[in-house]
Amino acid sequence: MFKKVLIANRGEIAIRIMRACRELDINTVAVYSEADKNALFAKYADEAYYIGPSPASESYLNMDRILEVAHETGSEAIHPGYGFLAENPVFARRCTKEGVTFIGPDASAIESMGSKIASKETMRAAGLPVVPGSNESISDVGKAADIAQSIGYPVIVKSSAGGGGIGMKVVRKKEELEHAIESTRRVAKSAFGDSTVFIEKYLEEPRHIEFQILADTIGNTIHVCERECSIQRRHQKLIEESPSPVMTPELRERMGNDAIKAAKAINYTNAGTVEFLYSKGDYYFLEMNTRLQVEHPITEVVTGISLVKEQLRIASGEGLNHKQEDIQQRGWAIECRINAEDPLNNFTPSPGKLRRYRSPGGPGVRVDSGVHTGYTITPFYDSLISKLTVWGENRDEAINRMKRALYEYIIVGVTTNIPFHKAVMNNEYFRRGELTTHFIDDHNIIADVAKVVEADKEKGATLASAIGADDKKVAAITAAVGAYMQGAKAVGKDDHKR
Ligand code: ADP
């Protein structure tokens, strides 16, 4: 096992990785930007080094500087977390070349999944079902119209190099096609530096279901079951759960085996995720993420396996700790991404200082976060405050526990999407497990969020003013905190039905 690992990331995921390292007795090296010089993750590490100004391009994406720190500190390996350099084959290759282990798959596996067009082709050849569509880049509108006609509208125009749902456009009729192609191409060029776009059939009411993969370097590949990530805004996940409410043992076996097949097709090693769209009993390969996912905690919670420790073990050359037949999901896990953003204003980011921060706790609650009272969410990076994960014996208990935990969350100073999560937990379709990627629009969740915000307002205002008035008035603050947490009763399931 490694003795020292550099974590080329920030915030909650840097801390998550360092926690695993600490439990494995591995020393940690943090790298931080100007904006993060007082951040918790940098303090948490055994050593921390400044790598550049706040913009990611000058710090967390600065390969030269990160590798320099790795060499100076004698780090044997680099964990890239997610985002930033995690799926950058150039970085993975440079690490290998410079004698530092990249904790992730081989650069060639990253490369082969970097282009959505090429990855769909690879998976089609490996025998996986893929969404019907163009298997090459779309250059002229006439040809695109022919393909759209043959697969049938609606279609979706996507960036081949894309990620984060950025730039995708749904096209319902031929007249909209040209504009959509131009728009996606423009966004793709500026976001990913690559204007290659393609089209595929737009599935009307899909669910997003993905499988976690673990593969060691001595030939063992297993799946660690599924996660359902259908609750999304702008094609980005907000709530994830495991198991999926639609999963059966037979379907799990089929999809899981296909996920393993996908990994083996590209000689995959380390942790990865094979994403599928599921619709009316059928499923289609969507893409493979060659890294740790944001939503990995729900898998850890229901299977008891530490994915980060597995990543470290695999990268150091050890064989998998688990066999396929040992993998079992126990109970139910749900994760809510708690972001500094305003759900009532199109989920616009709301950076700022956390004047008060108190996270929930108690049985079955896990909080992955890198913030604290006084911490400032900067506009330089994403607006994630924490990942709130709960475990329950069954789905109902997990939902009730999540609701309880959401009402225990105290965040003063920035607008958060907690009211959104409360509204979803109260929604009768969500409670019945009837999910699609259009859930937010289909059930007019934003109207429910407005009601939650209204109901929370009075108690929240009392709390904010008690906190603001005088920090010494501990009794007043404690009383206001207690009253605020009682909100779970006020906006209950029945209240929602009225
Ligand atoms: P990205 O890499 O940008 O995240 P993905 O291809 O993984 O893009 O898709 C992200 C989300 O976009 C999916 O979870 C789904 O909600 C939606 N989506 C993508 N392709 C389709 C499709 N063909 N039909 C319906 N929805 C789609």
Side-chain angles (χ1 to χ4, degrees):
M1 184 48 82
F2 307 114
K3 292 208 166 44
K4 198 188 257 191
V5 169
L6 183 151
I7 293 93
N9 214 301
R10 60 179 300 282
E12 67 85 18
I13 193 60
I15 292 182
R16 164 71 195 97
I17 296 160
M18 291 176 202
R19 281 176 166 152
C21 289
R22 196 155 284 179
E23 290 177 23
L24 291 171
D25 208 18
I26 299 169
N27 287 318
T28 53
V29 177
V31 290
Y32 62 90
S33 71
E34 179 65 31
D36 282 334
K37 59 178 190 278
N38 292 316
L40 193 57
F41 75 90
K43 313 271 177 234
Y44 190 93
D46 297 309
E47 299 170 54
Y49 297 86
Y50 174 78
I51 50 166
S54 305
S57 57
E58 296 172 56
S59 48
Y60 297 106
L61 294 172
N62 184 342
M63 301 184 207
D64 290 338
R65 180 71 187 120
I66 291 170
L67 278 160
E68 190 177 270
V69 175
H71 294 311
E72 278 169 8
T73 56
S75 300
E76 302 149 90
I78 296 183
H79 196 309
Y82 54 72
F84 298 130
L85 296 170
E87 289 178 293
N88 187 320
V90 175
F91 183 64
R93 201 161 273 137
R94 274 196 64 182
C95 287
T96 312
K97 205 169 138 219
E98 297 188 27
V100 181
T101 304
F102 177 79
I103 302 175
D106 222 54
S108 61
I110 301 177
E111 220 152 39
S112 67
M113 293 295 106
S115 144
K116 286 187 200 291
I117 297 176
S119 71
K120 273 182 76 177
E121 232 5 74
T122 305
M123 293 311 162
R124 196 200 314 268
L128 266 76
V130 300
V131 185
S134 63
N135 47 11
E136 55 187 38
S137 147
I138 289 294
S139 45
D140 80 283
V141 180
K143 202 164 158 210
D146 289 345
I147 295 168
Q149 193 66 37
S150 72
I151 57 179
Y153 287 94
V155 296
I156 184 166
V157 183
K158 294 164 91 169
S159 148
S160 186
I166 296 165
M168 294 179 189
K169 275 253 180 276
V170 179
V171 180
R172 299 202 170 269
K173 46 184 190 292
K174 192 178 168 187
E175 298 74 59
E176 298 166 359
L177 194 58
E178 186 169 359
H179 174 73
I181 292 172
E182 268 166 28
S183 146
T184 305
R185 198 175 270 156
R186 201 172 341 105
V187 176
K189 180 77 191 156
S190 77
F192 312 111
D194 177 349
S195 61
T196 311
V197 302
F198 68 107
I199 56 176
E200 64 184 20
K201 177 84 187 157
Y202 181 67
L203 304 173
E204 283 289 8
E205 300 213 308
R207 302 172 81 115
H208 175 116
I209 299 178
E210 59 188 32
F211 274 73
Q212 177 68 51
I213 289 293
L214 284 176
D216 63 24
T217 51
I218 50 173
N220 303 302
T221 304
I222 60 170
H223 76 78
V224 196
C225 303
E226 80 282 2
R227 295 182 285 259
E228 166 136 13
C229 317
S230 296
I231 308 288
Q232 307 178 343
R233 54 123 170 76
R234 293 194 290 273
H235 306 302
Q236 287 172 353
K237 302 159 189 169
L238 279 178
I239 300 177
E240 303 94 350
E241 61 183 290
S242 182
S244 157
V246 288
M247 199 50 69
T248 61
E250 296 74 34
L251 183 61
R252 182 174 295 119
E253 193 173 337
R254 270 200 295 141
M255 292 181 81
N257 284 339
D258 271 344
I260 291 174
K261 218 194 276 179
K264 286 189 168 162
I266 55 166
N267 294 321
Y268 197 83
T269 56
N270 217 283
T273 293
V274 182
E275 297 191 331
F276 296 99
L277 285 181
Y278 170 93
S279 176
K280 302 183 185 104
D282 292 322
Y283 62 88
Y284 306 91
F285 169 83
L286 188 60
E287 67 168 352
M288 180 162 188
N289 289 326
T290 54
R291 55 168 164 80
L292 188 67
Q293 301 274 99
V294 177
E295 60 274 20
H296 76 275
I298 53 174
T299 299
E300 297 189 323
V301 164
V302 287
T303 63
I305 294 174
S306 166
L307 294 173
V308 179
K309 283 186 187 169
E310 289 304 314
Q311 286 194 292
L312 290 158
R313 289 194 184 106
I314 292 168
S316 72
E318 291 180 27
L320 284 183
N321 244 0
H322 309 273
K323 291 199 170 62
Q324 188 64 60
E325 54 270 28
D326 303 335
I327 307 296
Q328 265 186 356
Q329 290 155 305
R330 197 182 137 255
W332 214 279
I334 303 177
E335 175 187 273
C336 288
R337 299 191 191 191
I338 309 296
N339 293 332
E341 63 183 21
D342 185 0
L344 295 183
N345 187 14
N346 205 18
F347 295 96
T348 314
S350 144
K353 186 167 177 172
L354 305 179
R355 291 180 46 227
R356 274 299 179 281
Y357 179 84
R358 185 186 188 280
S359 55
V365 176
R366 165 174 168 173
V367 180
D368 286 80
S369 176
V371 307
H372 48 77
T373 293
Y375 179 89
T376 298
I377 310 275
T378 86
F380 290 106
Y381 317 112
D382 66 33
S383 57
L384 189 71
I385 297 174
S386 80
K387 300 180 327 200
L388 174 59
T389 306
V390 299
W391 179 87
E393 254 182 51
N394 51 45
R395 192 166 186 271
D396 271 348
E397 188 182 51
I399 293 173
N400 290 337
R401 187 164 275 166
M402 178 59 85
K403 203 171 119 182
R404 184 270 284 173
L406 288 166
Y407 274 93
E408 287 180 11
Y409 228 134
I410 306 264
I411 300 177
V412 179
V414 299
T415 304
T416 76
N417 60 356
I418 290 177
F420 166 83
H421 293 301
K422 290 175 178 171
V424 175
M425 293 304 132
N426 278 327
N427 182 278
E428 57 188 302
Y429 294 92
F430 181 80
R431 295 192 79 102
R432 288 206 296 268
E434 293 174 21
L435 316 178
T436 77
T437 56
H438 309 296
F439 184 86
I440 297 176
D441 291 338
D442 287 355
H443 302 300
N444 200 8
I445 296 298
I446 300 306
D448 293 344
V449 175
K451 283 187 213 153
V452 174
V453 169
E454 203 48 47
D456 280 357
K457 211 175 234 165
E458 207 178 309
K459 290 194 162 93
T462 315
L463 177 63
S465 71
I467 287 169
D470 184 347
D471 279 11
K472 286 186 193 118
K473 287 183 186 158
V474 177
I477 297 169
T478 309
V481 166
Y484 182 77
M485 288 184 182
Q486 293 275 329
K489 289 182 192 153
V491 200
K493 198 174 157 197
D494 296 340
D495 195 70
H496 169 73
K497 277 191 189 146
R498 258 187 266 138

